Amino acid sequence: MKRSIFLKIAGGYAAVILILVFLILIFSFRTLKDFYIETSANNLKNLGLVLSPEVSRLLNNGRTNELDGLAKSVGPKINIRITVIDPDGRVLADSEKSPETMENHSTRPEIFDAMRGKIGESIRFSTTVEQDMLYIAIPLTDENAGTAGVLRLSLFLKDINSLITNLKTKVLQIAFIITAFFMLMALLLSRTLSKPIRDLASAARNVAQGNFGMKIFTKNRDELKELADSFNYMTTQIKKYFEELSRQKEEVDTIISSIQEGLLLLDSQGKIIFCNDSIKGLLKVDNLTEKPYWQIIRIPELNELIKSVRAEKKNFTNKIEFDEKTFLCSATFLNPGERIVIVFNNITGIKHLERIKKDLVINVSHELKTPLTAIKGFIETLEGENLGSNSRHYVDTIKTHVDRLINIVQDLLAISELEDRGARLELVNVNLKSLLENTLKIFDQKVNEKGLRVTLIAENNLPEIKGDSYRLEQMLINLIDNAIKYSEKGEIRISLQHHGKGVEIEIRDTGIGIPREHIPLIFERFYVVDKSRSRKLGGTGLGLSIVKHIVLLHNGEINVESAPGVGTKFTITLPLNP
Ligand code: ADP
């Protein structure tokens, strides 16, 4: 059961008041009784001392009958029992009973004390009158100052008790009035103390329900007032921050809704917890939230992307095609909560432009190829003619430029073909050693002209690999051509060896080398380290790009190590079966 503060305070006060009143009553009843008994005992002692000379006189003269008469006439008048006992404990006179019928009193404690010269006092149950009594025994002396007997005065305690009961009733009445008064005060005080707390609790409930305009006004001037002021300040601040947050959220919502990219937020279970309008438009679904993504988006590549992100807890980007469009999907893993944000960037337009560009390059290259071949044919015919030295010089220059143009066109066609997503390898068994031997023959003349040494070292029992022999030849031509082109002296060493589950081809030259900062860029299209040198040597900047494409199509790897002035080493690893 809920116990309110009011009940707790009021209950506490009531308990304290009741315990106090109870203790005071017990204490005062006891004190009252003790006080009455003490007063009565003193009165009895005084009375005894007043009566004792007359009683002693009659006792010393042996006038026992008169003594008994005195007791019986005085006792009832003053409502006190008077008894006279001789030193042997025999009763000589008694105001209530006939002395002969009474038993020996020597063993009574008060008589015992009085026989020894002290005033005896005792409260006991009297077997004679069958009531609680207060006894006072006064020692009586004879002419020789010896003990002549004892004068005992007894008072019925029931008289004291009825007196005390009267008093108790009055005290109880007063106690009841006081208790009732204090209880009322306690109730009022509890109410005053608990009201501001109740107000505060109800205001806090209101705030929790979003009513931030809630204020508390209290008449108190104490800590509760401070609490109320702090509460009011707190609600004002919360209202301010809440409004600011709502404004920011609205802004963010508007931005997210208006961006072109589709946006999805998935929880750790794959449920869509947020999405923007663009993605709804893309997927042609109105209500996406609170549903698992796989129920709505059935794109295998996207499933794979999400699985990879979740498994590796890393961000991934992938091209995804659906609904005849191409999207660049970036999936970001959010660590707290293991959520995933996926942004769908529509790159269909860019892809289309790229396609147009590639088509243009291929078409232009094809268109150029025929006239260039014709020009080269005519130049070769001209070369056979008997020309003057000037004309021969012109023909040689035209031939160099036409060769360069033919190279560019061939490289452009090759790279366009390789970059085409549909590029396929025509796999056959390739003996790399024979392929290299044949390729090297192409360069015999150039090698001799430059005075270079070419060595081919092949490991014994080298296995054949599965590969596209035409493209592999193209790759080797480009690499060996570069090695010869960029070496003025020394040696070109080509080695073939087993490497794991494949074959490693190493082409090492002692040429000009490549500066360190250029090495990461040399595989990019049209990248040349030294433009004028490359142009002079007939380079297009496409050779290594073609090489890299061919290696990757064979699932291989290519690495380069080079030092200017020392030489360059290309290492290609090709698997036995791509
Ligand atoms: P290019 O047709 O100009 O040779 P490549 O793509 O084949 O273009 O090579 C890119 C650049 O890398 C070249 O311009 C050249 O500077 C550098 N390079 C390639 N191979 C070598 C090599 N064996 N020695 C020194 N430099 C080289």
Side-chain angles (χ1 to χ4, degrees), residues 411-424:
D411 280 358
L412 277 174
L413 280 171
I415 199 128
S416 304
E417 230 177 81
L418 288 167
E419 279 182 350
D420 196 343
R421 278 191 74 200
R424 290 272 173 272

Side-chain angles (χ1 to χ4, degrees), residues 440-454:
L440 281 173
K441 280 184 196 143
I442 305 172
F443 296 100
D444 276 351
Q445 197 193 339
K446 272 193 186 173
V447 170
N448 288 336
E449 275 170 20
K450 284 197 143 181
L452 297 167
R453 212 169 52 251
V454 177

Side-chain angles (χ1 to χ4, degrees), residues 15 23 47 62 108 112-113 120 183 247 254 267 273 406 566 575:
L23 289 176
L47 184 66
R108 304 288 198 275
F112 188 82
D113 285 347
M183 286 288 207
R247 195 185 55 73
T254 318
D267 72 1
I273 45 177
I406 290 173
V566 180

Side-chain angles (χ1 to χ4, degrees), residues 41 47 77 177 218 220 243 254 257 293 373 422 470:
L47 184 66
K77 277 186 205 149
I177 292 168
T218 171
N220 293 38
E243 282 168 0
T254 318
S257 305
Y293 76 90
T373 320
Y470 169 71

Side-chain angles (χ1 to χ4, degrees), residues 370-387:
T370 323
L372 281 172
T373 320
I375 295 169
K376 189 165 182 196
F378 284 113
I379 291 169
E380 277 166 2
T381 317
L382 265 180
E383 269 183 325
E385 296 291 318
N386 197 5
L387 299 169

